[in-house]
Amino acid sequence: MKEMAQSVYMAGILIGGLVLGKLSDRFGRKPILTFSYLLLATSGSGTAFSPSLPTYMVFRFLCGFSISGITLSTVILNVEWVPTWMRAISSTMIGYFYTVGQFLLSGLAYAIPQWRWLQLTVSVPFFVFCLLSWWVPESIRWLVLSGKFSKALQTLQGVATFNGKKEEGEKLSVEELKLNLQKDIALAKTKYGAMHLFRIPILRRMTLCLSLAWFSTGFAYYSLAMGVEEFGVDIYILQIIFGGVDIPSKFITILSVSYLGRHITQASTLLLGGGTILALILMPEDMHILRTALAVFGKGCLSSSFSCLFLYTSELYPTVIRQTGMGLSNMWARVGSMMAPLVKITGEVHPAIPNIVYGTMALLGGSTAFFLPETLNRPLPENLEDLQQWSKPAKETRLELEAEKEAQKIPLKSGTQGVGPS
């Protein structure tokens, strides 16, 4: 029943992504983050006192549900607050704290061998995180789109003070805020739902490619993460190694997404991860060190894929439909992670079947990245027109720019200089 319990947990993450993503658009990023911390603290603590397996599964479902809210709110707040040039670094730094958590878990699990006490130990701190989340500023973009201009101004002034720019913050006014963000306000009047992701051709292609990439990443990642006992190495040590590989892999991810681009990085990490899983089929069972080395390398590649996908997906979807797109994409990662434990059961038919399925899906997911536009050094798209402009062939875009420059050189009959588009 271990695989079933794991799948129930992943189902909670899946449902949480769908429900809390919508609630985040309605009530804000910060309230959902605070609620998710509180729910994780209570359901995690309840898990430790479960009297039966069904009760355990219910609490684990709620744990997964709340983790989706924490993940989505954190990613969206990061993207909507951090400037473009810093976004890749901040996203990767957040990922490093996930790695620190893996290190701490290994030490705690070794020191606290009874699972109930271990579960309680890792759950209680979230009551503190719930209180600390009140100091997290709400997304200015969400406040403006919700018409809460006074609150947006107050938040901006608080951030300005924190950054040592109190005087600049005091000069801001509601009128100036409305003027600078009038494009965002106009966008808020246009409502887009999940169906628009499939009705509009450019969004349909992007959604299908991202969905497969997210699914294959979650599917392959958890195939390795949940199989630590299969490599013949002490599980506490291997867990530390699995966490440690994230340090160099995420550093390489920062360099790669910043200089080579997002879609090259995304394709490379998934293709390498899939190839590694398939290579495990050829390794004899008694070669523990080599099998462990391959598994660690594959896990590092898939961890990098997750880091890149969170950044890449949030940059690809326009503001008017970003939260919906992120929620749907993240949902497919959870479907993959929910199915991963069940596919392991096919190993009873033949030991090679699970790795063949995991590896092949990762290769397919990596291939889809080549069909996505690059977002390196580009501002976040606000609407569908921005996204369509990205997808134009380079030659067509260059001809348009040359035409604009020529238009600016043509003098008007009144004697004034010609002006191009503003």
Side-chain angles (χ1 to χ4, degrees):
M1 299 294 289
K2 185 176 69 173
E3 286 80 8
M4 182 61 68
Q6 187 69 24
S7 291
V8 168
Y9 169 75
M10 294 300 177
I13 297 180
L14 167 63
I15 303 301
L18 295 173
V19 175
L20 296 177
K22 277 302 224 180
L23 292 178
S24 175
D25 282 338
R26 182 172 182 179
F27 298 107
R29 284 51 162 142
K30 180 179 174 179
I32 297 302
L33 180 64
T34 303
F35 166 76
S36 299
Y37 278 136
L38 181 60
L39 180 60
L40 183 56
T42 53
S43 58
S45 300
T47 303
F49 297 99
S50 300
S52 63
L53 184 63
T55 307
Y56 172 84
M57 287 188 176
V58 169
F59 280 123
R60 288 294 289 166
F61 177 88
L62 292 174
C63 286
F65 185 91
S66 56
I67 281 176
S68 258
I70 294 170
T71 304
L72 281 174
S73 298
T74 302
V75 169
I76 296 298
L77 280 170
N78 175 59
V79 168
E80 294 184 343
W81 265 112
V82 177
T84 304
W85 65 272
M86 191 70 180
R87 206 177 294 139
I89 297 174
S90 63
S91 296
T92 307
M93 288 304 296
I94 290 173
Y96 272 129
F97 283 97
Y98 180 86
T99 303
V100 172
Q102 285 189 294
F103 284 138
L104 291 175
L105 180 60
S106 300
L108 286 172
Y110 186 79
I112 310 172
Q114 294 184 346
W115 73 267
R116 291 182 186 273
W117 284 107
L118 176 62
Q119 179 68 44
L120 189 62
T121 302
V122 300
S123 300
V124 169
F126 283 96
F127 285 109
V128 179
F129 302 151
C130 176
L131 297 176
L132 292 176
S133 65
W134 284 101
W135 279 269
V136 175
E138 179 58 274
S139 166
I140 293 298
R141 189 181 298 273
W142 180 84
L143 289 171
V144 168
L145 297 186
S146 301
K148 300 180 179 182
F149 298 103
S150 298
K151 180 64 176 176
L153 180 62
Q154 182 183 353
T155 303
L156 274 177
Q157 289 174 337
V159 171
T161 302
F162 183 85
N163 288 338
K165 297 184 178 181
K166 185 177 180 179
E167 293 183 3
E168 288 85 342
E170 290 175 347
K171 294 177 182 177
L172 293 173
S173 64
V174 173
E175 291 71 24
E176 186 179 1
L177 191 62
K178 288 181 179 180
L179 181 63
N180 289 329
L181 298 174
Q182 57 185 348
K183 183 178 180 181
D184 298 74
I185 298 168
L187 289 173
K189 298 176 181 178
T190 307
K191 300 296 181 183
Y192 290 93
M195 292 306 298
H196 286 88
L197 295 174
F198 300 96
R199 286 177 184 163
I200 302 170
I202 186 171
L203 282 177
R204 180 168 60 244
R205 184 189 70 187
M206 201 167 69
T207 300
L208 291 174
C209 290
L210 285 172
S211 296
L212 185 54
W214 276 94
F215 174 85
S216 55
T217 300
F219 190 60
Y221 179 90
Y222 285 98
S223 73
L224 293 174
M226 293 184 301
V228 291
E229 72 278 0
E230 299 175 1
F231 299 105
V233 178
D234 183 84
I235 60 172
Y236 299 104
I237 296 175
L238 188 55
Q239 187 66 30
I240 292 174
I241 296 173
F242 265 25
V245 72
D246 284 357
I247 296 175
S249 67
K250 285 175 179 171
F251 178 71
I252 293 171
T253 301
I254 291 178
L255 298 178
S256 183
V257 297
S258 300
Y259 294 100
L260 297 180
R262 275 57 159 164
H263 79 269
I264 292 177
T265 304
Q266 185 56 54
S268 301
T269 52
L270 267 179
L271 292 175
L272 286 172
T276 302
I277 293 174
L278 292 175
L280 284 170
I281 302 172
L282 307 176
M283 295 295 106
E285 293 288 338
D286 57 348
M287 298 183 69
H288 301 310
I289 296 178
L290 185 56
R291 286 176 59 81
T292 301
L294 280 173
V296 169
F297 177 76
K299 195 265 183 183
C301 290
L302 294 169
S303 178
S304 295
S305 176
F306 261 130
S307 298
C308 184
L309 270 175
F310 273 113
L311 175 64
Y312 198 14
T313 305
S314 60
E315 289 181 336
L316 278 172
Y317 282 115
T319 300
V320 292
I321 204 167
R322 181 171 298 120
Q323 186 73 13
T324 304
M326 275 292 295
L328 182 67
S329 300
N330 196 261
M331 178 196 77
W332 284 109
R334 302 315 166 192
V335 171
S337 58
M338 187 171 63
M339 291 180 63
L342 302 179
V343 172
K344 275 194 174 296
I345 300 174
T346 63
E348 297 177 5
V349 179
H350 192 283
I353 292 178
N355 279 352
I356 291 174
V357 177
Y358 296 137
T360 303
M361 283 306 305
L363 294 179
L364 288 174
S367 302
T368 61
F370 294 110
F371 298 95
L372 295 169
E374 182 55 74
T375 62
L376 180 62
N377 295 328
R378 285 179 167 175
L380 289 176
E382 299 289 350
N383 48 42
L384 296 179
E385 287 72 19
D386 292 345
L387 193 62
Q388 289 168 343
Q389 188 68 26
W390 282 12
S391 300
K392 287 183 178 181
K395 183 178 179 181
E396 183 180 342
T397 304
R398 187 170 62 252
L399 289 174
E400 286 185 0
L401 291 174
E402 290 176 356
E404 287 181 9
K405 289 180 180 178
E406 288 299 323
Q408 291 174 353
K409 294 177 182 178
I410 300 174
L412 299 177
K413 289 183 179 180
S414 60
T416 59
Q417 292 294 317
V419 292
S422 61

